[in-house]
mmCIF file with all atom_site columns, all heavy atoms in Angstrom:
data_model
loop_
_atom_site.group_PDB
_atom_site.id
_atom_site.type_symbol
_atom_site.label_atom_id
_atom_site.label_alt_id
_atom_site.label_comp_id
_atom_site.label_asym_id
_atom_site.label_entity_id
_atom_site.label_seq_id
_atom_site.pdbx_PDB_ins_code
_atom_site.Cartn_x
_atom_site.Cartn_y
_atom_site.Cartn_z
_atom_site.occupancy
_atom_site.B_iso_or_equiv
_atom_site.pdbx_formal_charge
_atom_site.auth_seq_id
_atom_site.auth_comp_id
_atom_site.auth_asym_id
_atom_site.auth_atom_id
_atom_site.pdbx_PDB_model_num
ATOM 1   N N   . GLU A 1 501 ? 18.362 -11.499 -6.691  1.00 92.00 ? 523 GLU A N   1
ATOM 2   C CA  . GLU A 1 501 ? 18.234 -10.719 -5.460  1.00 92.00 ? 523 GLU A CA  1
ATOM 3   C C   . GLU A 1 501 ? 18.579 -9.275  -5.732  1.00 92.00 ? 523 GLU A C   1
ATOM 4   O O   . GLU A 1 501 ? 17.929 -8.318  -5.356  1.00 92.00 ? 523 GLU A O   1
ATOM 5   C CB  . GLU A 1 501 ? 19.131 -11.210 -4.376  1.00 92.00 ? 523 GLU A CB  1
ATOM 6   C CG  . GLU A 1 501 ? 18.708 -12.557 -3.862  1.00 92.00 ? 523 GLU A CG  1
ATOM 7   C CD  . GLU A 1 501 ? 17.496 -12.393 -2.872  1.00 92.00 ? 523 GLU A CD  1
ATOM 8   O OE1 . GLU A 1 501 ? 16.376 -12.347 -3.382  1.00 92.00 ? 523 GLU A OE1 1
ATOM 9   O OE2 . GLU A 1 501 ? 17.625 -12.665 -1.656  1.00 92.00 ? 523 GLU A OE2 1
ATOM 10  N N   . LYS A 1 502 ? 19.659 -9.084  -6.540  1.00 91.00 ? 524 LYS A N   1
ATOM 11  C CA  . LYS A 1 502 ? 20.061 -7.707  -6.923  1.00 91.00 ? 524 LYS A CA  1
ATOM 12  C C   . LYS A 1 502 ? 18.916 -6.968  -7.645  1.00 91.00 ? 524 LYS A C   1
ATOM 13  O O   . LYS A 1 502 ? 18.549 -5.814  -7.317  1.00 91.00 ? 524 LYS A O   1
ATOM 14  C CB  . LYS A 1 502 ? 21.367 -7.693  -7.790  1.00 91.00 ? 524 LYS A CB  1
ATOM 15  C CG  . LYS A 1 502 ? 22.541 -7.541  -6.979  1.00 91.00 ? 524 LYS A CG  1
ATOM 16  C CD  . LYS A 1 502 ? 23.682 -6.890  -7.654  1.00 91.00 ? 524 LYS A CD  1
ATOM 17  C CE  . LYS A 1 502 ? 23.954 -7.512  -8.944  1.00 91.00 ? 524 LYS A CE  1
ATOM 18  N NZ  . LYS A 1 502 ? 25.106 -8.006  -9.441  1.00 91.00 ? 524 LYS A NZ  1
ATOM 19  N N   . GLU A 1 503 ? 18.295 -7.800  -8.695  1.00 91.00 ? 525 GLU A N   1
ATOM 20  C CA  . GLU A 1 503 ? 17.338 -7.141  -9.475  1.00 91.00 ? 525 GLU A CA  1
ATOM 21  C C   . GLU A 1 503 ? 16.101 -6.762  -8.603  1.00 91.00 ? 525 GLU A C   1
ATOM 22  O O   . GLU A 1 503 ? 15.454 -5.783  -8.701  1.00 91.00 ? 525 GLU A O   1
ATOM 23  C CB  . GLU A 1 503 ? 16.915 -8.178  -10.538 1.00 91.00 ? 525 GLU A CB  1
ATOM 24  C CG  . GLU A 1 503 ? 17.797 -8.256  -11.728 1.00 91.00 ? 525 GLU A CG  1
ATOM 25  C CD  . GLU A 1 503 ? 17.827 -6.917  -12.477 1.00 91.00 ? 525 GLU A CD  1
ATOM 26  O OE1 . GLU A 1 503 ? 16.752 -6.258  -12.686 1.00 91.00 ? 525 GLU A OE1 1
ATOM 27  O OE2 . GLU A 1 503 ? 18.901 -6.456  -12.866 1.00 91.00 ? 525 GLU A OE2 1
ATOM 28  N N   . ARG A 1 504 ? 15.852 -7.689  -7.624  1.00 92.00 ? 526 ARG A N   1
ATOM 29  C CA  . ARG A 1 504 ? 14.656 -7.592  -6.730  1.00 92.00 ? 526 ARG A CA  1
ATOM 30  C C   . ARG A 1 504 ? 14.755 -6.405  -6.008  1.00 92.00 ? 526 ARG A C   1
ATOM 31  O O   . ARG A 1 504 ? 13.899 -5.523  -5.786  1.00 92.00 ? 526 ARG A O   1
ATOM 32  C CB  . ARG A 1 504 ? 14.511 -8.753  -5.858  1.00 92.00 ? 526 ARG A CB  1
ATOM 33  C CG  . ARG A 1 504 ? 13.469 -8.725  -4.891  1.00 92.00 ? 526 ARG A CG  1
ATOM 34  C CD  . ARG A 1 504 ? 13.155 -9.902  -4.233  1.00 92.00 ? 526 ARG A CD  1
ATOM 35  N NE  . ARG A 1 504 ? 14.128 -10.404 -3.212  1.00 92.00 ? 526 ARG A NE  1
ATOM 36  C CZ  . ARG A 1 504 ? 14.045 -10.032 -1.984  1.00 92.00 ? 526 ARG A CZ  1
ATOM 37  N NH1 . ARG A 1 504 ? 12.998 -9.298  -1.485  1.00 92.00 ? 526 ARG A NH1 1
ATOM 38  N NH2 . ARG A 1 504 ? 14.965 -10.504 -1.071  1.00 92.00 ? 526 ARG A NH2 1
ATOM 39  N N   . VAL A 1 505 ? 15.996 -6.136  -5.322  1.00 91.00 ? 527 VAL A N   1
ATOM 40  C CA  . VAL A 1 505 ? 16.241 -4.967  -4.587  1.00 91.00 ? 527 VAL A CA  1
ATOM 41  C C   . VAL A 1 505 ? 16.128 -3.660  -5.369  1.00 91.00 ? 527 VAL A C   1
ATOM 42  O O   . VAL A 1 505 ? 15.396 -2.798  -5.002  1.00 91.00 ? 527 VAL A O   1
ATOM 43  C CB  . VAL A 1 505 ? 17.642 -5.026  -3.888  1.00 91.00 ? 527 VAL A CB  1
ATOM 44  C CG1 . VAL A 1 505 ? 18.086 -3.664  -3.366  1.00 91.00 ? 527 VAL A CG1 1
ATOM 45  C CG2 . VAL A 1 505 ? 17.702 -6.054  -2.779  1.00 91.00 ? 527 VAL A CG2 1
ATOM 46  N N   . LYS A 1 506 ? 16.718 -3.708  -6.520  1.00 90.00 ? 528 LYS A N   1
ATOM 47  C CA  . LYS A 1 506 ? 16.613 -2.617  -7.351  1.00 90.00 ? 528 LYS A CA  1
ATOM 48  C C   . LYS A 1 506 ? 15.158 -2.243  -7.751  1.00 90.00 ? 528 LYS A C   1
ATOM 49  O O   . LYS A 1 506 ? 14.669 -1.106  -7.743  1.00 90.00 ? 528 LYS A O   1
ATOM 50  C CB  . LYS A 1 506 ? 17.451 -2.840  -8.683  1.00 90.00 ? 528 LYS A CB  1
ATOM 51  C CG  . LYS A 1 506 ? 18.090 -1.701  -9.205  1.00 90.00 ? 528 LYS A CG  1
ATOM 52  C CD  . LYS A 1 506 ? 19.230 -2.010  -10.249 1.00 90.00 ? 528 LYS A CD  1
ATOM 53  C CE  . LYS A 1 506 ? 18.944 -2.917  -11.225 1.00 90.00 ? 528 LYS A CE  1
ATOM 54  N NZ  . LYS A 1 506 ? 19.872 -2.853  -12.385 1.00 90.00 ? 528 LYS A NZ  1
ATOM 55  N N   . ASP A 1 507 ? 14.492 -3.365  -8.215  1.00 90.00 ? 529 ASP A N   1
ATOM 56  C CA  . ASP A 1 507 ? 13.089 -3.139  -8.736  1.00 90.00 ? 529 ASP A CA  1
ATOM 57  C C   . ASP A 1 507 ? 12.234 -2.486  -7.570  1.00 90.00 ? 529 ASP A C   1
ATOM 58  O O   . ASP A 1 507 ? 11.488 -1.657  -7.808  1.00 90.00 ? 529 ASP A O   1
ATOM 59  C CB  . ASP A 1 507 ? 12.481 -4.561  -9.059  1.00 90.00 ? 529 ASP A CB  1
ATOM 60  C CG  . ASP A 1 507 ? 12.588 -4.793  -10.593 1.00 90.00 ? 529 ASP A CG  1
ATOM 61  O OD1 . ASP A 1 507 ? 13.007 -3.824  -11.232 1.00 90.00 ? 529 ASP A OD1 1
ATOM 62  O OD2 . ASP A 1 507 ? 12.314 -5.903  -10.951 1.00 90.00 ? 529 ASP A OD2 1
ATOM 63  N N   . PHE A 1 508 ? 12.224 -3.187  -6.439  1.00 91.00 ? 530 PHE A N   1
ATOM 64  C CA  . PHE A 1 508 ? 11.453 -2.648  -5.453  1.00 91.00 ? 530 PHE A CA  1
ATOM 65  C C   . PHE A 1 508 ? 11.693 -1.375  -4.973  1.00 91.00 ? 530 PHE A C   1
ATOM 66  O O   . PHE A 1 508 ? 10.789 -0.472  -4.812  1.00 91.00 ? 530 PHE A O   1
ATOM 67  C CB  . PHE A 1 508 ? 11.593 -3.656  -4.149  1.00 91.00 ? 530 PHE A CB  1
ATOM 68  C CG  . PHE A 1 508 ? 10.600 -4.813  -4.124  1.00 91.00 ? 530 PHE A CG  1
ATOM 69  C CD1 . PHE A 1 508 ? 10.868 -5.919  -4.893  1.00 91.00 ? 530 PHE A CD1 1
ATOM 70  C CD2 . PHE A 1 508 ? 9.388  -4.710  -3.534  1.00 91.00 ? 530 PHE A CD2 1
ATOM 71  C CE1 . PHE A 1 508 ? 10.014 -7.106  -4.919  1.00 91.00 ? 530 PHE A CE1 1
ATOM 72  C CE2 . PHE A 1 508 ? 8.487  -5.789  -3.575  1.00 91.00 ? 530 PHE A CE2 1
ATOM 73  C CZ  . PHE A 1 508 ? 8.758  -6.940  -4.330  1.00 91.00 ? 530 PHE A CZ  1
ATOM 74  N N   . LYS A 1 509 ? 13.082 -1.092  -4.923  1.00 91.00 ? 531 LYS A N   1
ATOM 75  C CA  . LYS A 1 509 ? 13.346 0.419   -4.447  1.00 91.00 ? 531 LYS A CA  1
ATOM 76  C C   . LYS A 1 509 ? 12.622 1.347   -5.593  1.00 91.00 ? 531 LYS A C   1
ATOM 77  O O   . LYS A 1 509 ? 12.162 2.364   -5.074  1.00 91.00 ? 531 LYS A O   1
ATOM 78  C CB  . LYS A 1 509 ? 14.886 0.596   -4.370  1.00 91.00 ? 531 LYS A CB  1
ATOM 79  C CG  . LYS A 1 509 ? 15.476 0.028   -3.151  1.00 91.00 ? 531 LYS A CG  1
ATOM 80  C CD  . LYS A 1 509 ? 16.892 0.290   -2.992  1.00 91.00 ? 531 LYS A CD  1
ATOM 81  C CE  . LYS A 1 509 ? 17.452 -0.381  -1.640  1.00 91.00 ? 531 LYS A CE  1
ATOM 82  N NZ  . LYS A 1 509 ? 18.912 -0.148  -1.529  1.00 91.00 ? 531 LYS A NZ  1
ATOM 83  N N   . THR A 1 510 ? 12.951 1.054   -6.745  1.00 91.00 ? 532 THR A N   1
ATOM 84  C CA  . THR A 1 510 ? 12.541 1.952   -7.860  1.00 91.00 ? 532 THR A CA  1
ATOM 85  C C   . THR A 1 510 ? 11.091 2.151   -7.806  1.00 91.00 ? 532 THR A C   1
ATOM 86  O O   . THR A 1 510 ? 10.610 3.181   -7.859  1.00 91.00 ? 532 THR A O   1
ATOM 87  C CB  . THR A 1 510 ? 12.940 1.420   -9.200  1.00 91.00 ? 532 THR A CB  1
ATOM 88  O OG1 . THR A 1 510 ? 14.372 0.980   -9.096  1.00 91.00 ? 532 THR A OG1 1
ATOM 89  C CG2 . THR A 1 510 ? 12.840 2.513   -10.262 1.00 91.00 ? 532 THR A CG2 1
ATOM 90  N N   . VAL A 1 511 ? 10.378 0.934   -7.731  1.00 91.00 ? 533 VAL A N   1
ATOM 91  C CA  . VAL A 1 511 ? 8.879  0.998   -7.814  1.00 91.00 ? 533 VAL A CA  1
ATOM 92  C C   . VAL A 1 511 ? 8.384  1.714   -6.614  1.00 91.00 ? 533 VAL A C   1
ATOM 93  O O   . VAL A 1 511 ? 7.503  2.474   -6.714  1.00 91.00 ? 533 VAL A O   1
ATOM 94  C CB  . VAL A 1 511 ? 8.386  -0.355  -7.870  1.00 91.00 ? 533 VAL A CB  1
ATOM 95  C CG1 . VAL A 1 511 ? 6.894  -0.482  -7.588  1.00 91.00 ? 533 VAL A CG1 1
ATOM 96  C CG2 . VAL A 1 511 ? 8.632  -0.851  -9.297  1.00 91.00 ? 533 VAL A CG2 1
ATOM 97  N N   . ILE A 1 512 ? 8.893  1.403   -5.411  1.00 90.00 ? 534 ILE A N   1
ATOM 98  C CA  . ILE A 1 512 ? 8.249  2.060   -4.184  1.00 90.00 ? 534 ILE A CA  1
ATOM 99  C C   . ILE A 1 512 ? 8.440  3.468   -4.248  1.00 90.00 ? 534 ILE A C   1
ATOM 100 O O   . ILE A 1 512 ? 7.531  4.238   -3.865  1.00 90.00 ? 534 ILE A O   1
ATOM 101 C CB  . ILE A 1 512 ? 8.879  1.353   -2.968  1.00 90.00 ? 534 ILE A CB  1
ATOM 102 C CG1 . ILE A 1 512 ? 8.208  -0.037  -2.784  1.00 90.00 ? 534 ILE A CG1 1
ATOM 103 C CG2 . ILE A 1 512 ? 8.654  2.106   -1.703  1.00 90.00 ? 534 ILE A CG2 1
ATOM 104 C CD1 . ILE A 1 512 ? 8.634  -0.790  -1.655  1.00 90.00 ? 534 ILE A CD1 1
ATOM 105 N N   . ILE A 1 513 ? 9.649  3.930   -4.673  1.00 91.00 ? 535 ILE A N   1
ATOM 106 C CA  . ILE A 1 513 ? 9.943  5.381   -4.744  1.00 91.00 ? 535 ILE A CA  1
ATOM 107 C C   . ILE A 1 513 ? 8.917  5.940   -5.763  1.00 91.00 ? 535 ILE A C   1
ATOM 108 O O   . ILE A 1 513 ? 8.349  7.007   -5.450  1.00 91.00 ? 535 ILE A O   1
ATOM 109 C CB  . ILE A 1 513 ? 11.403 5.653   -5.080  1.00 91.00 ? 535 ILE A CB  1
ATOM 110 C CG1 . ILE A 1 513 ? 12.236 5.400   -3.877  1.00 91.00 ? 535 ILE A CG1 1
ATOM 111 C CG2 . ILE A 1 513 ? 11.622 7.106   -5.477  1.00 91.00 ? 535 ILE A CG2 1
ATOM 112 C CD1 . ILE A 1 513 ? 13.665 5.617   -4.034  1.00 91.00 ? 535 ILE A CD1 1
ATOM 113 N N   . GLU A 1 514 ? 8.764  5.324   -6.893  1.00 91.00 ? 536 GLU A N   1
ATOM 114 C CA  . GLU A 1 514 ? 7.826  5.824   -7.801  1.00 91.00 ? 536 GLU A CA  1
ATOM 115 C C   . GLU A 1 514 ? 6.472  6.012   -7.232  1.00 91.00 ? 536 GLU A C   1
ATOM 116 O O   . GLU A 1 514 ? 5.670  6.905   -7.493  1.00 91.00 ? 536 GLU A O   1
ATOM 117 C CB  . GLU A 1 514 ? 7.827  4.999   -9.023  1.00 91.00 ? 536 GLU A CB  1
ATOM 118 C CG  . GLU A 1 514 ? 7.219  5.501   -10.265 1.00 91.00 ? 536 GLU A CG  1
ATOM 119 C CD  . GLU A 1 514 ? 7.283  4.368   -11.375 1.00 91.00 ? 536 GLU A CD  1
ATOM 120 O OE1 . GLU A 1 514 ? 8.243  3.768   -11.543 1.00 91.00 ? 536 GLU A OE1 1
ATOM 121 O OE2 . GLU A 1 514 ? 6.227  4.249   -12.093 1.00 91.00 ? 536 GLU A OE2 1
#
Side-chain angles (χ1 to χ4, degrees):
Chain A
E523 293 283 77
K524 264 211 309 230
E525 282 297 314
R526 174 168 79 92
V527 168
K528 215 161 48 158
D529 265 352
F530 270 84
K531 282 187 182 175
T532 318
V533 163
I534 287 182
I535 287 183
E536 196 181 316

